[in-house]
């Protein structure tokens, strides 16, 4: 990005006129990106921007917009100029972080953006301090017409986003920048000042994982009997009692014998070769023979499928148990890629173990929970195994920092024992059909990782996921949360005593910590803050590992709300007809106004929020009264395609298409309307939306349709795929999902009956 605003390459007036005309057609909204760079930063002063429009404070320094740190020397701020402001005057200022010291405004005249172009010469920002010292910042300014790439970039290529739909001839993503009319005070659409008045109870299976310690939601040891007793296969049972541990998943009563490989012996898997790029080792790939794999991608009536190996049509294809169980319950690209991986990859790579590595308080369990939820939602059978939970159940929760010392042989043996027990459980589950296991522990030494690789040899592929955090603020926050939430300190009334013990435990791990340099690995370095960072990968290949890397690149810990709501009641809703593209009923029109009022009150301090709708007019009309936020239309948010049943009601389908009606009743998740979609198809096309919701740092309001919102809600609530078609998403109700460091929390508002 160069200094100054984007200008016509020819420098002629004709180009400027064309640009101005195109901007007028777009409604006059500009996406403004401001950056300041200074390698001699003063940590007491924080860069801000204020200017002539309310968005940037209307020249009130107390309402100036804060710039976000992009790197060690760079600060950044992006915002959208409202359509009724063709020009923008602004200045940079420095605000003190502490005390009542006055703000320091940059020297020189105001900076002026007119029609998206910077007037006058670009210049550095100079700030004169009381000590007569002058701070100089390099300034980078870019102003351009709002585009889908700027505000709604998804993992799909920009050119693909703008390809017209073959159905309606519109882009996958587009910006609606038309100004919205305001609401009159005292209208029936007005709301109570206290939004809590509209809160209704969330269902018992709501997305409130943030209220539960994340590790407690992981798998329970198989060798734990229903009576709460560990059976180690030797006839000796150990009783446990621990506060705060959930054992709500019945464990198998099968006795297990845990064999712990010698951690001092290095791992040498079969047929290893040295990677010429970084000197690590990777298993040679060899193809297994497969015959005529059949993937059920979600269909209605039975279809004839041709087997690639037989040359004839087969009606009742059967998969061997191992292959069938490892197939994801997914559609389209997900299923096709799974088939390709199974046909081309080694047998053990049909099962994937993501082994977390990192010091305590680095966000490992948070990352494990998010990744588990994402993979389950895509249809991959995934489970989270937390070694800390195994340790607490086996040896009790009240272990002091001495238990974790490297010179404590009893502690080392006990910790290796529970790690091997968890690994054994995970491998046993994979051999029964599980696909992806998330192994959550510090795994901070090479000897521990060698032990795990030896146990996995020939059974599953291991990818190490190392989380590294150097931000002391985040580490301190995580330590506080650990003391407040972890069962390890549930019986410690003194917060400071718990903090000292945990810091001693952390110091014990730091003394022996060895970064990952072996095998296949992903390193996340300072990624959790959402302000940059690095991600390093080594020896990663295949569809699923690639999806995992892409997901991790786009996740962060920044707290923000996501509001989900259906469009206002439509005329087809009144008639009981599915699909269609009808306008709103009178009740739906009233809801659109109430929703606008609600958004204005709920997001009044969230200037960077955005409104996402489908391309169907009932969602666009519902969003139309909402003012002050960019509106983005996603074709991916359109209602499930009912195909030839579009516009019918279910009585008509039952009468005229009884076989289709029965197929849908038997399996709503996989049923695909003739020439239409299934719920699995909807999940597949929603993956870019999920990635973008994870990437966003500001609030997002999603106005969409029942089937689509069921699928989105299931992701945040971690609901099983089979439940998605039955999730209740009522009309005229807002589901607020709060995403943050403690997990996901849900609140519901019902604005109308």
């Amino acid at each position: 990005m160069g200094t100054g605003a984007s200008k016509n390459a020819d420098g002629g007036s004709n180009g400027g006129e064309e640009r101005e005309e195109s901007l007028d057609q777009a409604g006059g909204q500009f996406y403004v990106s401001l950056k300041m760079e200074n390698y001699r930063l003063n940590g007491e002063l924080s860069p801000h921007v204020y200017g002539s429009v309310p968005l940037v404070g209307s020249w009130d320094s107390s309402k100036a917009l804060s710039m976000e740190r992009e790197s060690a020397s760079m600060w950044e701020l992006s915002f959208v100029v409202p359509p009724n402001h063709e020009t923008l005057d602004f200045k940079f200022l420095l605000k003190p972080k502490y005390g009542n010291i006055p703000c320091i405004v940059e020297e020189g005249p105001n900076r002026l953006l007119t029609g998206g172009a910077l007037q006058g010469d670009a210049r550095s920002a100079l700030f004169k301090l009381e000590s007569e010292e002058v701070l100089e910042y390099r300034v980078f300014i870019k102003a351009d017409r709002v585009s889908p790439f700027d505000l709604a970039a998804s993992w799909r290529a920009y050119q693909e986003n703008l390809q017209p739909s073959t159905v309606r001839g519109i882009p996958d993503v587009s910006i609606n920048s038309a100004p919205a009319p305001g609401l009159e005070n005292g209208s029936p659409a007005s709301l109570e000042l206290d939004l809590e008045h509209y809160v209704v109870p969330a269902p018992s299976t709501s997305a409130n994982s943030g209220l539960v310690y994340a590790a407690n939601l992981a798998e329970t040891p198989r060798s734990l009997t229903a009576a709460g007793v560990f059976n180690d296969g030797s006839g000796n049972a150990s009783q446990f009692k621990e506060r705060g541990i959930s054992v709500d998943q019945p464990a198998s009563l099968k006795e297990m014998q845990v064999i712990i490989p010698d951690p001092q012996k290095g791992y040498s898997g079969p047929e290893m070769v040295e990677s010429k790029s970084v000197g690590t080792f990777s298993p040679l790939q060899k193809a297994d023979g497969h015959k005529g794999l059949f993937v059920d991608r979600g269909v209605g009536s039975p279809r004839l499928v041709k087997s690639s190996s037989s040359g004839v049509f087969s009606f009742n294809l059967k998969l061997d148990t191992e292959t069938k169980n490892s197939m994801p319950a997914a559609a389209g690209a997900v299923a096709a890629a799974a088939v390709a991986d199974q046909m081309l990859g080694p047998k053990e790579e049909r099962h994937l173990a993501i082994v977390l590595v990192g010091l305590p308080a680095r966000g490992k369990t948070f990352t494990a929970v998010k990744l588990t939820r994402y993979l389950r939602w895509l249809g991959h059978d995934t489970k989270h195994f937390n070694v800390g939970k195994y340790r607490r159940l086996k040896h009790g929760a009240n272990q002091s920092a001495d238990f974790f010392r490297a010179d404590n042989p009893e502690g080392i043996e006990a910790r290796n024992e529970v790690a091997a027990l968890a690994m054994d459980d995970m491998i046993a589950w994979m051999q029964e059909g599980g696909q992806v296991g998330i192994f959550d522990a510090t795994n901070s030494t090479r000897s521990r990782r060698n032990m795990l690789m030896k146990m996995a040899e020939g059974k599953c592929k291991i990818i190490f996921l190392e989380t590294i955090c150097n931000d002391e603020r985040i580490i301190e926050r995580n330590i506080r949360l650990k003391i407040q939430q972890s069962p390890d300190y549930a019986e410690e009334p003194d917060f400071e005593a718990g903090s000292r013990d945990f810091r001693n435990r952390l110091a014990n791990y730091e003394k022996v910590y060895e970064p990952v340099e072996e095998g296949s690995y992903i390193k996340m370095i300072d990624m959790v803050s959402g302000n940059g960072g690095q991600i390093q990968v080594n020896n990663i290949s295949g569809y699923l590992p690639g999806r995992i890397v892409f997901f991790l690149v786009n996740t962060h810990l920044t707290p923000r709300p996501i509001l989900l709501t259906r469009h206002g009641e439509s005329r087809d809703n009144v008639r009981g007809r599915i699909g269609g593209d009808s306008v709103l009923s009178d009740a739906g029109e009233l809801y659109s106004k109430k929703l606008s009022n609600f958004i204005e009150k709920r997001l009044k301090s969230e200037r960077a929020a955005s409104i996402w709708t489908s391309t169907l007019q009932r969602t666009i009309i519902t969003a139309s009264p909402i003012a002050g936020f960019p509106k983005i239309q996603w074709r991916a948010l359109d209602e499930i395609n009912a195909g030839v049943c579009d516009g019918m009601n279910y009585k008509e389908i039952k009468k005229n298409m009884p076989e289709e009606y029965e197929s849908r009743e038997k399996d709503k998740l996989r049923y695909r309307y003739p020439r239409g979609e299934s719920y699995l198809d909807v999940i597949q096309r929603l993956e870019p939306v999920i990635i973008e919701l994870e990437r966003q740092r500001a609030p997002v309001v999603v106005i969409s349709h029942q089937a689509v919102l069921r699928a989105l809600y299931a992701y945040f609530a971690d609901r099983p795929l089979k439940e998605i078609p039955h999730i209740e998403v009522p009309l005229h109700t807002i589901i607020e999902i709060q995403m943050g460091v403690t997990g996901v929390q849900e609140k519901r508002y019902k604005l109308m009956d």
Side-chain angles (χ1 to χ4, degrees):
M1 184 188 300
T3 304
S6 304
K7 294 188 178 181
N8 186 276
D10 299 330
S13 60
N14 187 42
E17 291 173 1
E18 291 178 359
R19 175 181 174 81
E20 189 175 35
E21 182 180 353
S22 68
L23 287 168
D24 289 341
Q25 293 172 354
Q29 281 189 315
F30 297 107
Y31 173 75
V32 179
S33 174
L34 307 176
K35 295 190 177 184
M36 295 175 65
E37 184 179 45
N38 186 328
Y39 289 95
R40 297 173 55 244
L41 293 176
N42 185 326
E44 302 296 320
L45 298 173
S46 174
H48 285 65
V49 176
Y50 76 144
S52 57
V53 301
L55 184 65
V56 287
S58 298
W59 294 119
D60 183 350
S61 61
S62 66
K63 298 179 181 178
L65 284 184
S66 173
M67 302 184 75
E68 298 289 335
R69 187 186 290 275
E70 187 178 76
S71 66
S73 60
M74 184 76 75
W75 297 77
E76 188 268 345
L77 174 66
S78 301
F79 55 90
V80 176
V81 179
N84 57 335
H85 292 277
E86 296 182 357
T87 62
L88 171 65
D89 293 62
F90 68 96
K91 272 193 167 186
F92 296 101
L93 65 126
L94 300 179
K95 276 190 173 184
K97 292 184 178 179
Y98 311 103
N100 297 319
I101 306 172
C103 297
I104 305 170
V105 182
E106 69 166 311
E107 301 290 315
N110 298 343
R111 298 176 187 267
L112 179 63
L113 279 172
T114 302
L118 181 67
Q119 304 301 307
D121 296 331
R123 67 181 191 274
S124 297
L126 302 177
F127 300 90
K128 186 176 292 185
L129 308 182
E130 290 184 354
S131 61
E132 298 302 320
E133 178 187 0
V134 176
L135 285 180
E136 180 178 359
Y137 286 77
R138 291 180 64 197
V139 172
F140 303 86
I141 301 174
K142 183 177 180 180
D144 207 347
R145 180 167 61 89
V146 172
S147 70
F149 181 72
D150 294 324
L151 291 179
S154 70
W155 61 271
R156 294 172 298 177
Y158 175 56
Q159 291 81 2
E160 179 186 346
N161 278 346
L162 293 183
Q163 286 179 354
S165 161
T166 57
V167 179
R168 298 186 180 87
I170 55 178
D172 285 340
V173 182
S174 61
I175 303 294
N176 176 7
S177 55
L183 296 177
E184 296 181 4
N185 293 331
S187 70
S190 61
L191 295 176
E192 299 283 345
L193 291 178
D194 184 5
L195 297 182
E196 295 298 315
H197 175 78
Y198 299 94
V199 173
V200 294
S204 58
T205 53
S206 62
N208 279 318
S209 64
L211 304 179
V212 182
Y213 186 58
N216 288 354
L217 301 175
E219 294 302 302
T220 297
R222 291 182 170 214
S223 51
L224 179 67
T225 68
V229 177
F230 257 106
N231 194 328
D232 60 7
S234 62
N236 298 322
S238 59
Q239 187 79 27
F240 85 93
K241 183 178 181 181
E242 181 181 356
R243 171 182 166 188
I245 292 291
S246 169
V247 192
D248 53 358
Q249 302 178 7
S252 169
L253 299 181
K254 180 179 69 174
E255 294 183 354
M256 296 184 63
Q257 182 177 4
V258 181
I259 301 174
I260 308 177
D262 185 353
Q264 301 305 320
K265 294 182 179 179
Y267 168 72
S268 58
E271 301 187 45
M272 302 295 291
V273 294
E274 185 174 358
S275 168
K276 301 300 182 183
S277 57
V278 292
T280 55
F281 290 88
S282 59
L284 284 171
Q285 296 216 344
K286 57 182 180 180
D288 283 350
H290 285 258
K291 293 184 179 181
L293 291 179
F294 168 68
V295 180
D296 178 7
R297 296 190 347 177
V299 296
S301 304
R303 313 286 170 90
L304 290 176
V305 179
K306 186 175 182 180
S307 168
S308 60
S309 60
S310 66
V312 297
F313 281 98
S314 171
F315 179 75
N316 188 25
L317 284 176
K318 300 279 187 181
L319 292 176
D320 62 90
T321 304
E322 184 176 11
T323 301
K324 185 175 181 181
N325 287 342
S326 60
M327 285 289 182
V334 175
V339 172
D341 281 356
Q342 289 184 16
M343 293 180 69
L344 299 176
K347 183 177 180 180
E348 62 267 21
E349 293 195 12
R350 300 179 194 174
H351 307 291
L352 183 62
I354 305 297
V355 176
L356 275 294
V357 177
L359 292 167
R362 263 51 175 192
K364 295 186 301 299
T365 298
F366 173 84
T367 302
V369 169
K370 292 196 76 167
L371 186 56
T372 301
R373 189 176 73 225
Y374 171 70
L375 293 175
R376 282 175 178 167
W377 183 79
L378 282 182
H380 302 285
D381 192 3
T382 306
K383 285 191 175 182
H384 174 201
F385 295 81
N386 180 272
V387 176
K389 180 175 182 178
Y390 277 66
R391 169 181 55 78
R392 286 186 284 271
L393 292 173
K394 180 73 172 177
H395 300 290
N398 300 318
Q399 300 293 340
S400 70
D402 290 339
F403 181 81
F404 302 92
R405 281 177 20 217
D407 58 355
N408 179 354
E410 292 82 5
I412 292 175
E413 181 180 0
R415 287 186 283 131
N416 281 338
E417 178 191 19
V418 292
L421 176 61
M423 189 70 176
D424 236 11
D425 280 359
M426 186 172 74
I427 291 173
W429 166 74
M430 287 179 174
Q431 291 174 339
E432 295 168 0
Q435 189 180 7
V436 184
I438 312 292
F439 189 83
D440 180 13
T442 56
N443 300 313
S444 54
T445 63
R446 191 171 289 109
S447 62
R448 163 68 73 82
R449 298 193 291 269
N450 282 338
M451 180 189 85
L452 299 177
M453 286 194 289
K454 192 169 182 64
M455 294 182 70
E457 183 178 331
K459 299 171 183 175
C460 64
K461 176 180 175 60
I462 282 185
I463 295 178
F464 293 112
L465 174 54
E466 185 176 14
T467 61
I468 300 172
C469 178
N470 300 308
D471 190 325
E472 291 298 330
R473 294 174 303 169
I474 293 177
I475 295 172
E476 285 297 318
R477 179 189 62 192
N478 290 348
I479 290 175
R480 289 196 301 272
L481 289 172
K482 189 83 172 179
I483 306 306
Q484 293 167 357
Q485 297 184 352
S486 173
D488 285 348
Y489 297 98
E491 297 181 8
E492 174 55 74
D494 186 346
F495 179 87
E496 292 302 324
S499 178
R500 284 193 301 272
D501 180 83
F502 184 80
R503 292 175 195 279
N504 290 335
R505 180 196 301 189
L506 181 56
N508 289 332
Y509 276 107
E510 288 174 336
K511 292 175 184 176
V512 296
Y513 186 78
E514 297 173 295
V516 175
E517 296 176 349
E518 67 273 16
S520 300
Y521 63 76
I522 304 167
K523 285 178 183 275
M524 297 176 63
I525 305 173
D526 292 327
M527 291 286 294
V528 292
S529 66
N531 295 319
Q534 300 178 37
I535 189 162
Q536 300 176 2
V537 298
N538 178 65
N539 193 24
I540 300 296
S541 62
Y543 173 81
L544 191 52
R547 298 307 313 148
I548 290 171
V549 170
F550 189 82
F551 176 75
L552 294 173
V553 167
N554 288 282
T555 59
H556 56 86
L557 294 175
T558 306
R560 74 279 190 199
I562 294 172
L563 280 67
L564 308 176
T565 183
R566 290 174 65 183
H567 55 79
E569 181 189 62
S570 70
R571 293 182 181 177
D572 277 345
N573 287 145
V574 176
R575 302 185 189 105
R577 301 194 176 277
I578 62 176
D581 194 15
S582 66
V583 297
L584 301 183
S585 67
D586 290 344
E589 293 280 0
L590 179 60
Y591 176 70
S592 72
K593 296 173 183 177
K594 285 181 174 287
L595 177 64
S596 174
N597 204 344
F598 176 91
I599 297 301
E600 179 184 353
K601 297 178 187 298
R602 175 64 184 85
L603 302 181
K604 61 182 178 181
S605 60
E606 303 285 357
R607 302 177 182 179
S610 56
I611 314 297
W612 296 4
T613 71
S614 73
T615 63
L616 300 176
Q617 64 173 335
R618 53 188 181 273
T619 65
I620 297 172
I621 295 172
T622 301
S624 61
I626 303 173
F629 302 102
K631 297 169 186 172
I632 304 167
Q633 297 172 19
W634 287 73
R635 187 159 58 93
L637 290 175
D638 285 2
E639 178 62 296
I640 187 171
N641 186 347
V644 300
C645 299
D646 189 84
M648 301 174 67
N649 60 44
Y650 287 112
K651 288 184 178 180
E652 293 170 342
I653 296 173
K654 185 176 183 179
K655 178 180 178 181
N656 300 319
M657 308 171 71
E659 291 184 359
E660 294 296 334
Y661 184 87
E662 289 300 321
S663 295
R664 179 179 176 274
E665 287 296 304
K666 289 178 181 177
D667 190 352
K668 291 184 179 180
L669 176 68
R670 291 173 176 80
Y671 171 77
R672 177 181 290 142
Y673 288 99
R675 300 183 185 178
E677 289 181 304
S678 68
Y679 269 94
L680 292 178
D681 295 326
V682 172
I683 290 172
Q684 181 192 347
R685 67 168 155 96
L686 282 176
E687 188 186 9
V689 179
I690 288 295
I691 294 294
E692 186 61 21
L693 286 173
E694 286 287 358
R695 196 183 68 85
Q696 291 285 320
R697 295 188 183 92
V700 177
V701 180
V702 181
I703 304 174
S704 189
H705 309 268
Q706 180 168 249
V708 171
L709 293 179
R710 281 172 169 167
L712 290 178
Y713 176 81
Y715 168 76
F716 295 111
D718 196 16
R719 298 280 289 275
L721 289 180
K722 64 182 180 181
E723 294 184 11
I724 289 179
H726 311 286
I727 293 174
E728 183 180 0
V729 183
L731 283 169
H732 306 156
T733 301
I734 299 165
I735 303 173
E736 179 176 326
I737 305 292
Q738 186 71 41
M739 299 177 65
V741 65
T742 59
V744 176
Q745 297 184 32
E746 174 187 345
K747 181 183 287 188
R748 295 197 176 203
Y749 303 88
K750 190 169 184 62
L751 303 189
M752 292 173 53
D753 293 327

